[in-house]
Amino acid sequence: MNKNGRFVLIGSIIMDIQLFVIHIPPSGGDVMASTAMYYPGGGFNVLSAVSRQGIPALYAGHIGQGPMDKRI
């Protein structure tokens, strides 16, 4: 693999939300989550993988102004 180039991502970085519940609700039922964890995902996973391979990576997309923008 030629590592002399650079990887540029123009796609989306989204926020993954992992919810912890005591049990899976029955069909049509509800259950309250006890904990929520937030992780950058989507294109962030791609950038991380490329960087771990020693390839320079750059994010050239837009980060929105929604409720998760500061976490990304």
Side-chain angles (χ1 to χ4, degrees), residues 2-66:
N2 181 357
K3 293 187 179 183
N4 294 327
R6 178 183 347 182
F7 182 87
V8 178
L9 176 69
I10 305 174
S12 299
I13 293 180
I14 59 173
M15 186 62 71
D16 293 338
I17 304 172
Q18 183 177 22
L19 301 173
F20 296 89
V21 296
I22 296 172
H23 63 276
I24 302 295
S27 179
D30 294 323
V31 64
M32 295 294 292
S34 59
T35 307
M37 303 290 289
Y38 301 89
Y39 303 98
F44 179 82
N45 296 333
V46 176
L47 289 173
S48 295
V50 168
S51 294
R52 284 193 298 270
Q53 297 299 315
I55 300 170
L58 172 71
Y59 178 62
H62 176 73
I63 297 178
Q65 298 178 359

